[in-house]
Amino acid sequence: KQSGLNPLSRSSNSILSYITRARAMLRASLLLALSASAASAASAASEPVCHGPACQGEEGGGLEAEASVLLQVHRASAEPETPYINPCPKGYNPKASTKEACSAANLKYTGNTNAVSTSASHCCVPQYWTCNMGDEKYCETSNQTSKSANPTFLGDTAQWWWDAVEVQGNCCLPPNPASAQTATWTMDTRMNPSDEGCKTTEVKGKTGSPSYTLIAFWTGEQCPTTANVGGTYYAPTCTTTSGGCSGVDIGEGMCCYHPNGLR
């Protein structure tokens, strides 16, 4: 990202600092401005594309959840009045992917079918998989302290509004067990989070609430989580809080806890 800039030049370093700040501001503005389009497309799909309590109208959802969905597919610029048709079979949702990675995962590649961008590259992913943007070197079990995840990386795919600069890919986590008929991971809806708080943590249960392990998986960009309660996995509730967190604060005040537990 620094090619063309002389690292020894003071003026170049100043320019780079300015560009970095400008990129962050522009990206945040674009995500917020386009989240309404993402919400419209997501609601028209036959299955949910955002997993976890925060994505389904509960506390902690809203623009950040929709912006996270926006990052995952190449249909964010669709006109609001244009009906969205899911190009995938029933039980699957489209996620941005390379054809090679999609085929390697034994999934159906649809390319730009029912997509706005002619350069879109969609892969049909099982509806109960939870996907967050990530980097290939992190999206693998060997790099994680917990072996509860079985991630699939869908390849580096440039986003349509930032193709020349930022390239990420979908890191998708199947539920535990894989045959589960619901998602057991909750996607991270924060903007550009740090990995500092993304740590697997034992949580002691409060009165009337079970003890459990809050498992955090760093994708290289985001921190999806799952709650292991006596060997059974659940999608935790993750919500921003300004007070204390009796679950696990994964960073920026995002408190994740067992859905039947106490914060």
Side-chain angles (χ1 to χ4, degrees):
K1 295 181 181 178
Q2 298 184 31
S3 60
L5 292 177
N6 181 353
L8 299 179
S9 169
R10 182 174 302 176
S11 60
S12 294
N13 287 335
S14 298
I15 293 172
L16 178 59
S17 177
Y18 173 81
I19 290 175
T20 300
R21 292 195 304 271
R23 283 180 54 199
M25 293 175 63
L26 177 59
R27 184 181 182 191
S29 298
L30 284 167
L31 288 173
L32 291 174
L34 293 168
S35 60
S37 294
S40 175
S43 63
S46 58
E47 294 90 19
V49 294
C50 176
H51 288 298
C55 306
Q56 290 148 25
E58 296 189 19
E59 183 181 8
L63 290 180
E64 285 190 340
E66 299 302 347
S68 292
V69 173
L70 179 67
L71 286 168
Q72 296 178 21
V73 293
H74 280 122
R75 54 182 169 82
S77 62
E79 293 297 328
E81 65 271 16
T82 302
Y84 173 70
I85 301 174
N86 188 342
C88 298
K90 184 177 181 180
Y92 291 80
N93 286 315
K95 300 293 181 182
S97 172
T98 63
K99 183 176 183 179
E100 294 74 18
C102 185
S103 299
N106 294 317
L107 298 173
K108 179 181 179 181
Y109 181 76
T110 64
N112 64 357
T113 301
N114 290 337
V116 174
S117 171
T118 57
S119 62
S121 50
H122 289 159
C123 183
C124 294
V125 171
Q127 62 176 309
Y128 299 127
W129 283 24
T130 299
C131 300
N132 259 137
M133 300 308 290
D135 300 326
E136 184 174 14
K137 67 178 181 179
Y138 290 98
C139 188
E140 55 177 284
T141 303
S142 62
N143 282 337
Q144 306 296 327
T145 56
S146 171
K147 305 303 179 185
S148 299
N150 183 26
T152 295
F153 187 66
L154 297 182
D156 289 322
T157 52
Q159 300 307 313
W160 66 268
W161 66 83
W162 208 251
D163 284 356
V165 180
E166 188 149 7
V167 179
Q168 301 172 346
N170 275 305
C171 181
C172 299
L173 302 170
N176 281 314
S179 58
Q181 293 303 295
T182 186
T184 60
W185 290 87
T186 295
M187 68 183 299
D188 184 2
T189 61
R190 294 172 298 161
M191 301 289 188
N192 302 316
S194 164
D195 66 342
E196 184 176 354
C198 190
K199 295 179 175 63
T200 295
T201 306
E202 299 292 332
V203 182
K204 186 176 181 180
K206 305 294 183 181
T207 302
S209 179
S211 296
Y212 59 95
T213 302
L214 195 289
I215 299 169
F217 184 96
W218 180 247
T219 67
E221 299 290 340
Q222 306 282 155
C223 184
T225 53
T226 185
N228 181 350
V229 186
T232 301
Y233 292 86
Y234 300 89
T237 297
C238 293
T239 182
T240 303
T241 177
S242 57
C245 174
S246 297
V248 178
D249 187 337
I250 62 173
E252 291 84 46
M254 181 64 75
C255 180
C256 296
Y257 55 96
H258 178 245
N260 294 329
L262 303 173
R263 280 187 286 170

